[in-house]
Amino acid sequence: MHKWTIGCRIFWLSVLCLVSLSATAQDYPPAWDKPFPAHRVVANLYSVGTYDLSSFLLTSDDGHILINTGMAGSTALIRDNIEALGFRLTDVKRLLTNQAHFDHVSAMAEIKELSGAQLWATAPDAKLLQDGGFSDPLFGGSETFRPVSVEHIISDGDVIALGETRLTVHEHPGHTAGSTSYSLRVHENGRDYRVLIANMGSINPGTKFHEDETYPGIRDDYAKTFKSQKALDVDIWVAAHASQYGLHDKYKPGQPYDADTFVDPEGFFALVAKLEQRFLTALDEEKQAAQIESEQKH
Ligand SMILES: [Zn+2]
């Protein structure tokens, strides 16, 4: 991909990070629940989320998997998007999430009731899902979304099978302790595509890595996630926020389906490198601040 496009995308990502600084479950960017038309990403993977908060539907003859649900008011948008593609919310059998923050799971409880699907999550994210984000080290202390029960714990390397779909679980902790990406292979156009539904290692304001760390082991978690992501084989990638994977640069409503629309390994690895750099800078800055503080005490 053209360097300018990557630079531009990263610029907008920085803007978005500033926006999310003040975002709460009541006060958040309008793009989070602005409607956006459902569309096919590749093969049996569809995007059914809002303008910026991704929800992904993986369809099969034996039922569907839905990943992420957006804000509390987004249930109807997601259901309408699923129906616009000719599928039904009641055929969703598994619910998953990239990360248990309110912007990705607030409609989960309602969608679970309407679909009757099972919610599967990693152990750390299951805790947040079941207490409505109360125990979240950054945003917790009160519920930030409606609590929802988890039926099954998933962990790194697990394969979630439904119909023909085989979805591999990648634990990518740091952003939340249970953040998760999912990968699958699809066959289209006479070739295989390696597809990643990624949770990127972005850092929320207020995160601490040294003294008073946000949660025990967070520094190692981020480091592990960047290492894992750099080693992945990726042709097509999408992520929890549309802005992260450049949805609106790559796809305009009504654009005809093309299996290559979301092929962008360079964009993925450029963003992983950018976020890793941001992590290393945050570590340095925190260390320097601690040093200055201790010097002032002496
Ligand atoms: Zn988050």
Side-chain angles (χ1 to χ4, degrees):
M1 170 175 316
H2 200 278
K3 267 203 188 101
W4 185 86
T5 316
I6 294 173
C8 194
R9 189 165 300 158
I10 286 165
F11 168 76
W12 280 110
L13 191 71
S14 321
V15 172
L16 191 89
C17 290
L18 291 174
V19 168
S20 63
L21 202 126
S22 58
T24 67
Q26 287 78 40
D27 179 17
Y28 52 87
W32 283 7
D33 57 11
K34 181 179 163 186
F36 192 74
H39 53 277
R40 193 174 179 190
V41 177
V42 66
N44 62 333
L45 175 63
Y46 298 85
S47 172
V48 295
T50 67
Y51 191 86
D52 188 58
L53 295 182
S54 308
S55 295
F56 297 107
L57 185 74
L58 269 161
T59 61
S60 90
D61 290 342
D62 294 328
H64 315 316
I65 298 171
L66 182 68
I67 305 173
N68 302 333
T69 61
M71 300 303 289
S74 297
T75 299
L77 293 180
I78 294 169
R79 188 193 49 214
D80 291 352
N81 269 350
I82 292 173
E83 287 174 359
L85 295 167
F87 301 108
R88 290 183 308 194
L89 182 61
T90 47
D91 288 331
V92 172
K93 300 288 178 233
R94 299 277 178 277
L95 293 164
L96 303 171
T97 182
N98 280 128
Q99 45 148 305
H101 274 157
F102 65 88
D103 47 339
H104 308 286
V105 300
S106 286
M108 194 65 90
E110 192 179 14
I111 285 184
K112 191 178 174 194
E113 281 167 2
L114 293 172
S115 63
Q118 288 193 358
L119 174 58
W120 291 16
T122 58
D125 268 6
K127 186 170 190 289
L128 295 183
L129 287 162
Q130 297 190 132
D131 70 18
F134 189 91
S135 62
D136 188 291
L138 274 181
F139 304 120
S142 62
E143 285 179 7
T144 50
F145 56 89
R146 208 177 120 198
V148 53
S149 58
V150 174
E151 275 73 32
H152 181 76
I153 299 298
I154 51 175
S155 35
D156 201 57
D158 282 359
V159 176
I160 300 169
L162 191 61
E164 299 288 293
T165 301
R166 299 288 177 274
L167 197 58
T168 302
V169 174
H170 303 265
E171 288 191 50
H172 284 157
H175 187 90
T176 64
S179 290
T180 313
S181 304
Y182 305 91
S183 69
L184 72 156
R185 268 173 189 268
V186 299
H187 194 81
E188 283 277 282
N189 277 347
R191 63 163 282 198
D192 281 337
Y193 292 86
R194 294 157 302 186
V195 182
L196 184 70
I197 300 156
N199 197 77
M200 304 307 293
S202 60
I203 300 167
N204 278 120
T207 303
K208 287 189 156 189
F209 297 104
H210 293 288
E211 218 170 300
D212 205 13
E213 59 195 349
T214 296
Y215 70 80
I218 186 170
R219 198 174 46 185
D220 291 346
D221 274 0
Y222 267 101
K224 193 176 94 179
T225 291
F226 294 124
K227 192 176 173 206
S228 159
Q229 292 188 339
K230 287 189 285 187
L232 288 172
D233 287 322
V234 176
D235 300 308
I236 288 172
W237 72 291
V238 290
H241 286 272
S243 53
Q244 289 175 323
Y245 69 97
L247 164 64
H248 303 292
D249 292 332
K250 292 172 179 170
Y251 175 85
K252 308 278 183 241
Q255 188 173 313
Y257 170 66
D258 179 341
D260 288 337
T261 296
F262 293 96
V263 170
D264 177 26
E266 305 90 350
F268 175 70
F269 292 112
L271 182 54
V272 172
K274 178 82 184 175
L275 292 172
E276 183 175 34
Q277 197 48 56
R278 201 171 283 168
F279 164 69
L280 295 172
T281 303
L283 290 187
D284 274 355
E285 285 175 355
E286 206 180 311
K287 242 185 234 168
Q288 278 169 19
Q291 208 169 351
I292 290 167
E293 204 179 308
S294 87
E295 277 166 14
Q296 282 168 346
K297 275 183 194 155
H298 289 102

